[in-house]
Amino acid sequence: MLDGDHPPNNNSTNGFNVTDLFSPLLAGDLSLANRIVMAPLTRSRAGADGVPTEIMAEHYAQRASVGLIISEGTFQSLPGKAFDGQPGLVTPAQLAGWRKVTDAVHAEGGLIVAQVMHAGRATHPDISGFPVEAPSALAIDGETRAGGTKVAYPLPRALETDELPEIVETFVRSSQNAVDAGFDGVELHAANGYLLHEFLGTTSNMRTDAYGGTPENRIRFVVEVVRAVVAQLGAGRVGLRISPERNIQGLIEDDPVDVEAVYGGLMDALAPLGLAFVSVLHPEPAGALVQGLRSRFGGPFLVNTGFAEPTTRGEAVAMMAGSLTDAVVVGRAVIANPDLVRRWREELEENELDFSTLYAEGTVGYTDYPTYDDTKARAAS
Ligand SMILES: Cc1cc2nc3c(=O)[nH]c(=O)nc-3n(C[C@H](O)[C@H](O)[C@H](O)COP(=O)(O)O)c2cc1C
């Protein structure tokens, strides 16, 4: 047989085809059984005190067959709380609540990291009980919900330069708290217009100190947070989420040159650290921006194509087959299908998502989506 019949197999690690959605992936210290990652999904089911509830343990455990669960965005300090019903990683009661969640996921053989976030300007004192803090005193032109009513986003207070080290510390403490509560690691949330993202963008950051102005200055705070959390937990348990060009919550990134400089510079700064992963939310995974960021980061890279349409099996399989990503981050399909991995592996039909119950109270639309077997058993009886 000619050597030409056996091209170097660049698509294989440990005997598995890495373009297969159902093959394992090693991401830092995280050993994923498959490449379907549950996206961070805010569902507002925690108590008013930010304590995770029993139904959250059930909800996450039901979805433990994904390669990795990324928890809903979880506040790292009380002023950083973004939504009513959001869980926190601050108080002993919150950590005890999370321990039930992580134990339940692990009992089902799953892996779970906490998405750690600070709301920045995208919150309200009626939600957090604190004045709103951000890189600059620039309000979002829009509304959020507090106590069931719509409220305008307030003008935030610009954080002083000498306050920033304490904010870094809150990320370190809450990340350590996450691991103490049984999480397998953390995903630092630098996407979707919250505090870390706000430092990156020109429409949310007009600082004149070393944290504003040039792309190099605007990435400084995110890099400091990542480095500090890595120093605490080890790089293999730390990931980062970004959403370049997301254009949300008044954070507009419409200058491609600046976007390339900011996010490319960020990837260059993070590359030597050996992070578990970078997760990117962007509608064009095959585009030059995303693939350029991937090669500059050089480590495990996760992709989600954003909100326009829910991620489908076909899209996920195609992204893997095209070697566009190391794993696919999936949101709405995992909400509606607790056994999504099986359904996608066996090409089974899927449940429809009920949008009306996304942020509802209690178990409806949360723990009551049936598995494929549940549906078949019901139909047979
Ligand atoms: C109900 C809901 C809540 C979300 N909450 C978060 C969140 O807490 N943190 C985050 O980074 N993204 C959040 N997202 C974005 C998702 O992680 C994901 O990027 C988005 O759903 C698009 O993926 P999909 O098409 O597979 O659903 C949320 C999306 C939805 C639909």
Side-chain angles (χ1 to χ4, degrees):
M1 198 178 285
L2 292 175
D3 275 346
D5 290 340
H6 297 278
N9 188 354
N10 294 326
N11 282 337
S12 164
T13 47
N14 306 327
F16 293 101
N17 183 348
V18 298
T19 58
D20 178 354
L21 196 54
F22 306 100
S23 67
L25 171 69
L26 191 61
D29 296 350
L30 307 170
S31 192
L32 282 62
N34 59 67
R35 291 153 188 261
I36 300 171
V37 173
M38 178 174 170
L41 293 157
T42 290
R43 304 300 305 282
S44 305
R45 257 62 171 199
D49 48 8
V51 176
T53 47
E54 301 278 346
I55 58 170
M56 288 170 61
E58 189 182 348
H59 169 80
Y60 283 112
Q62 288 172 338
R63 289 158 179 77
S65 61
V66 296
L68 175 66
I69 294 172
I70 301 175
S71 84
E72 63 208 277
T74 302
F75 58 86
Q76 54 37 273
S77 69
L78 302 180
K81 184 175 180 182
F83 322 102
D84 289 338
Q86 186 186 20
L89 279 167
V90 182
T91 69
Q94 289 163 6
L95 303 189
W98 277 123
R99 171 56 77 175
K100 291 182 191 164
V101 175
T102 58
D103 280 351
V105 169
H106 291 149
E108 294 297 325
L111 273 182
I112 181 167
V113 299
Q115 190 186 51
V116 180
M117 66 176 282
H118 182 309
R121 63 181 182 165
T123 186
H124 191 280
D126 290 353
I127 295 169
S128 67
F130 287 84
V132 174
E133 51 192 33
S136 296
L138 296 163
I140 299 172
D141 182 10
E143 294 175 321
T144 185
R145 290 188 86 82
T149 24
K150 285 189 174 175
V151 286
Y153 282 112
L155 185 68
R157 179 181 74 81
L159 288 159
E160 301 291 341
T161 310
D162 64 6
E163 291 179 283
L164 297 182
E166 172 53 22
I167 303 278
V168 173
E169 271 311 300
T170 60
F171 275 96
V172 172
R173 278 198 298 273
S174 54
S175 296
Q176 181 63 55
N177 285 346
V179 170
D180 292 346
F183 282 102
D184 298 292
V186 296
E187 176 183 88
L188 301 169
H189 191 358
N192 298 349
Y194 300 104
L195 184 80
L196 295 183
H197 195 186
E198 289 163 12
F199 272 89
L200 301 176
T202 51
T203 61
S204 46
N205 179 352
M206 294 191 175
R207 300 178 70 92
T208 52
D209 62 5
Y211 296 88
T214 62
E216 192 186 8
N217 279 357
R218 280 181 277 131
I219 68 171
R220 190 180 309 280
F221 187 64
V222 176
V223 173
E224 285 182 2
V225 169
V226 175
R227 283 207 182 120
V229 175
V230 162
Q232 181 74 20
L233 299 188
R237 292 198 283 191
V238 180
L240 179 77
R241 190 175 214 202
I242 55 172
S243 60
E245 302 181 321
R246 177 80 210 282
N247 298 337
I248 187 174
Q249 313 207 118
L251 207 171
I252 307 304
E253 294 170 313
D254 58 0
D255 174 357
V257 176
D258 189 69
V259 167
E260 167 85 22
V262 167
Y263 288 95
L266 184 60
M267 294 301 103
D268 293 346
L270 300 183
L273 300 181
L275 294 183
F277 62 86
V278 161
S279 180
V280 177
L281 190 166
H282 194 278
E284 292 170 12
L289 175 66
V290 171
Q291 291 306 312
L293 297 178
R294 184 183 186 194
S295 67
R296 283 168 85 160
F297 173 59
F301 199 73
L302 281 45
V303 172
N304 176 265
T305 51
F307 284 83
E309 291 292 334
T311 309
T312 61
R313 180 187 188 280
E315 185 186 355
V317 167
M319 274 202 276
M320 292 301 304
S323 291
L324 299 179
T325 186
D326 295 305
V328 181
V329 177
V330 186
R332 287 162 286 188
V334 180
I335 293 177
N337 297 279
D339 56 346
L340 188 76
V341 175
R342 176 184 171 200
R343 290 181 195 246
W344 279 9
R345 187 187 284 118
E346 299 178 21
E347 296 189 59
L348 304 173
E349 67 194 71
E350 295 176 33
N351 298 324
E352 291 281 322
L353 180 72
D354 178 358
F355 285 89
S356 72
T357 54
L358 280 179
Y359 306 109
E361 283 178 21
T363 57
V364 178
Y366 192 58
T367 54
D368 60 355
Y369 282 106
T371 63
Y372 184 76
D373 285 343
D374 289 340
T375 305
K376 289 287 149 211
R378 267 175 226 168
S381 66

mmCIF file of all heavy atoms in Angstrom, residues 76 89 116 170-180 185-186 188 229 232-233:
data_model
loop_
_atom_site.group_PDB
_atom_site.id
_atom_site.type_symbol
_atom_site.label_atom_id
_atom_site.label_comp_id
_atom_site.label_asym_id
_atom_site.label_seq_id
_atom_site.Cartn_x
_atom_site.Cartn_y
_atom_site.Cartn_z
ATOM 1 N N GLN A 76 -20.313 37.350 41.625
ATOM 2 C CA GLN A 76 -19.075 37.158 42.393
ATOM 3 C C GLN A 76 -19.000 38.075 43.597
ATOM 4 O O GLN A 76 -18.079 37.967 44.394
ATOM 5 C CB GLN A 76 -17.849 37.319 41.495
ATOM 6 C CG GLN A 76 -17.685 38.588 40.672
ATOM 7 C CD GLN A 76 -18.112 39.901 41.228
ATOM 8 O OE1 GLN A 76 -19.284 40.313 41.112
ATOM 9 N NE2 GLN A 76 -17.177 40.612 41.847
ATOM 10 N N LEU A 89 -22.106 33.329 44.470
ATOM 11 C CA LEU A 89 -20.970 32.522 44.965
ATOM 12 C C LEU A 89 -20.282 33.285 46.088
ATOM 13 O O LEU A 89 -19.064 33.380 46.133
ATOM 14 C CB LEU A 89 -19.965 32.285 43.831
ATOM 15 C CG LEU A 89 -20.293 31.159 42.861
ATOM 16 C CD1 LEU A 89 -19.408 31.243 41.626
ATOM 17 C CD2 LEU A 89 -20.137 29.801 43.535
ATOM 18 N N VAL A 116 -18.673 32.735 36.326
ATOM 19 C CA VAL A 116 -18.492 33.767 37.348
ATOM 20 C C VAL A 116 -18.563 35.133 36.675
ATOM 21 O O VAL A 116 -17.817 35.401 35.728
ATOM 22 C CB VAL A 116 -17.133 33.585 38.055
ATOM 23 C CG1 VAL A 116 -16.943 34.661 39.113
ATOM 24 C CG2 VAL A 116 -17.045 32.192 38.680
ATOM 25 N N THR A 170 -12.478 39.874 44.337
ATOM 26 C CA THR A 170 -13.805 39.245 44.419
ATOM 27 C C THR A 170 -13.929 38.118 43.386
ATOM 28 O O THR A 170 -14.595 37.115 43.646
ATOM 29 C CB THR A 170 -14.951 40.258 44.218
ATOM 30 O OG1 THR A 170 -14.832 40.862 42.933
ATOM 31 C CG2 THR A 170 -14.975 41.307 45.305
ATOM 32 N N PHE A 171 -13.294 38.285 42.240
ATOM 33 C CA PHE A 171 -13.300 37.190 41.251
ATOM 34 C C PHE A 171 -12.492 36.003 41.779
ATOM 35 O O PHE A 171 -12.874 34.852 41.594
ATOM 36 C CB PHE A 171 -12.732 37.675 39.907
ATOM 37 C CG PHE A 171 -13.756 38.352 39.027
ATOM 38 C CD1 PHE A 171 -13.886 39.731 39.002
ATOM 39 C CD2 PHE A 171 -14.601 37.595 38.223
ATOM 40 C CE1 PHE A 171 -14.837 40.355 38.204
ATOM 41 C CE2 PHE A 171 -15.551 38.204 37.416
ATOM 42 C CZ PHE A 171 -15.669 39.590 37.406
ATOM 43 N N VAL A 172 -11.372 36.300 42.440
ATOM 44 C CA VAL A 172 -10.535 35.217 42.977
ATOM 45 C C VAL A 172 -11.300 34.480 44.086
ATOM 46 O O VAL A 172 -11.372 33.245 44.084
ATOM 47 C CB VAL A 172 -9.202 35.783 43.520
ATOM 48 C CG1 VAL A 172 -8.408 34.698 44.250
ATOM 49 C CG2 VAL A 172 -8.381 36.378 42.386
ATOM 50 N N ARG A 173 -11.869 35.245 45.021
ATOM 51 C CA ARG A 173 -12.575 34.611 46.152
ATOM 52 C C ARG A 173 -13.761 33.781 45.680
ATOM 53 O O ARG A 173 -13.963 32.653 46.108
ATOM 54 C CB ARG A 173 -13.070 35.676 47.146
ATOM 55 C CG ARG A 173 -12.018 36.160 48.116
ATOM 56 C CD ARG A 173 -12.659 36.840 49.321
ATOM 57 N NE ARG A 173 -13.431 38.026 48.964
ATOM 58 C CZ ARG A 173 -12.939 39.250 48.852
ATOM 59 N NH1 ARG A 173 -11.653 39.470 49.060
ATOM 60 N NH2 ARG A 173 -13.712 40.280 48.534
ATOM 61 N N SER A 174 -14.551 34.359 44.772
ATOM 62 C CA SER A 174 -15.750 33.628 44.336
ATOM 63 C C SER A 174 -15.367 32.410 43.497
ATOM 64 O O SER A 174 -16.052 31.377 43.555
ATOM 65 C CB SER A 174 -16.706 34.551 43.570
ATOM 66 O OG SER A 174 -16.033 35.175 42.503
ATOM 67 N N SER A 175 -14.260 32.495 42.769
ATOM 68 C CA SER A 175 -13.807 31.328 41.995
ATOM 69 C C SER A 175 -13.333 30.229 42.943
ATOM 70 O O SER A 175 -13.617 29.047 42.736
ATOM 71 C CB SER A 175 -12.690 31.734 41.031
ATOM 72 O OG SER A 175 -13.180 32.655 40.088
ATOM 73 N N GLN A 176 -12.609 30.626 43.977
ATOM 74 C CA GLN A 176 -12.203 29.633 44.989
ATOM 75 C C GLN A 176 -13.450 29.066 45.674
ATOM 76 O O GLN A 176 -13.536 27.858 45.916
ATOM 77 C CB GLN A 176 -11.266 30.276 46.023
ATOM 78 C CG GLN A 176 -10.780 29.301 47.092
ATOM 79 C CD GLN A 176 -9.941 28.172 46.516
ATOM 80 O OE1 GLN A 176 -8.950 28.418 45.826
ATOM 81 N NE2 GLN A 176 -10.324 26.924 46.771
ATOM 82 N N ASN A 177 -14.410 29.941 45.965
ATOM 83 C CA ASN A 177 -15.667 29.466 46.566
ATOM 84 C C ASN A 177 -16.335 28.431 45.664
ATOM 85 O O ASN A 177 -16.906 27.445 46.150
ATOM 86 C CB ASN A 177 -16.638 30.636 46.785
ATOM 87 C CG ASN A 177 -16.257 31.514 47.956
ATOM 88 O OD1 ASN A 177 -15.415 31.121 48.788
ATOM 89 N ND2 ASN A 177 -16.852 32.696 48.039
ATOM 90 N N ALA A 178 -16.282 28.679 44.347
ATOM 91 C CA ALA A 178 -16.910 27.737 43.410
ATOM 92 C C ALA A 178 -16.258 26.364 43.537
ATOM 93 O O ALA A 178 -16.956 25.337 43.633
ATOM 94 C CB ALA A 178 -16.782 28.256 41.979
ATOM 95 N N VAL A 179 -14.946 26.332 43.566
ATOM 96 C CA VAL A 179 -14.248 25.049 43.685
ATOM 97 C C VAL A 179 -14.541 24.421 45.045
ATOM 98 O O VAL A 179 -14.784 23.211 45.149
ATOM 99 C CB VAL A 179 -12.736 25.257 43.440
ATOM 100 C CG1 VAL A 179 -11.946 24.006 43.801
ATOM 101 C CG2 VAL A 179 -12.507 25.615 41.976
ATOM 102 N N ASP A 180 -14.573 25.259 46.091
ATOM 103 C CA ASP A 180 -14.904 24.732 47.421
ATOM 104 C C ASP A 180 -16.315 24.144 47.452
ATOM 105 O O ASP A 180 -16.594 23.236 48.236
ATOM 106 C CB ASP A 180 -14.800 25.833 48.486
ATOM 107 C CG ASP A 180 -13.366 26.289 48.706
ATOM 108 O OD1 ASP A 180 -12.440 25.596 48.248
ATOM 109 O OD2 ASP A 180 -13.182 27.363 49.322
ATOM 110 N N GLY A 185 -14.378 23.766 38.011
ATOM 111 C CA GLY A 185 -13.610 24.918 37.544
ATOM 112 C C GLY A 185 -14.538 26.099 37.369
ATOM 113 O O GLY A 185 -15.689 26.074 37.842
ATOM 114 N N VAL A 186 -14.039 27.128 36.695
ATOM 115 C CA VAL A 186 -14.856 28.324 36.464
ATOM 116 C C VAL A 186 -14.728 28.786 35.017
ATOM 117 O O VAL A 186 -13.715 28.525 34.356
ATOM 118 C CB VAL A 186 -14.446 29.504 37.386
ATOM 119 C CG1 VAL A 186 -14.683 29.165 38.845
ATOM 120 C CG2 VAL A 186 -13.004 29.942 37.149
ATOM 121 N N LEU A 188 -14.870 32.492 33.450
ATOM 122 C CA LEU A 188 -14.979 33.923 33.726
ATOM 123 C C LEU A 188 -15.750 34.560 32.568
ATOM 124 O O LEU A 188 -15.455 34.305 31.397
ATOM 125 C CB LEU A 188 -13.582 34.524 33.891
ATOM 126 C CG LEU A 188 -12.778 33.873 35.033
ATOM 127 C CD1 LEU A 188 -11.318 34.304 34.985
ATOM 128 C CD2 LEU A 188 -13.399 34.203 36.382
ATOM 129 N N VAL A 229 -7.062 34.693 38.937
ATOM 130 C CA VAL A 229 -7.844 33.465 39.182
ATOM 131 C C VAL A 229 -6.999 32.231 38.846
ATOM 132 O O VAL A 229 -7.030 31.228 39.565
ATOM 133 C CB VAL A 229 -9.174 33.492 38.402
ATOM 134 C CG1 VAL A 229 -9.927 32.178 38.545
ATOM 135 C CG2 VAL A 229 -10.042 34.656 38.890
ATOM 136 N N GLN A 232 -4.744 31.397 41.603
ATOM 137 C CA GLN A 232 -5.452 30.770 42.728
ATOM 138 C C GLN A 232 -5.830 29.315 42.430
ATOM 139 O O GLN A 232 -5.640 28.446 43.276
ATOM 140 C CB GLN A 232 -6.722 31.586 43.023
ATOM 141 C CG GLN A 232 -7.542 31.072 44.193
ATOM 142 C CD GLN A 232 -6.915 31.378 45.541
ATOM 143 O OE1 GLN A 232 -6.069 32.271 45.656
ATOM 144 N NE2 GLN A 232 -7.288 30.613 46.558
ATOM 145 N N LEU A 233 -6.386 29.069 41.244
ATOM 146 C CA LEU A 233 -6.971 27.740 40.966
ATOM 147 C C LEU A 233 -6.087 26.848 40.108
ATOM 148 O O LEU A 233 -6.312 25.635 40.061
ATOM 149 C CB LEU A 233 -8.314 27.884 40.226
ATOM 150 C CG LEU A 233 -9.454 28.632 40.888
ATOM 151 C CD1 LEU A 233 -10.724 28.477 40.060
ATOM 152 C CD2 LEU A 233 -9.704 28.139 42.302
#
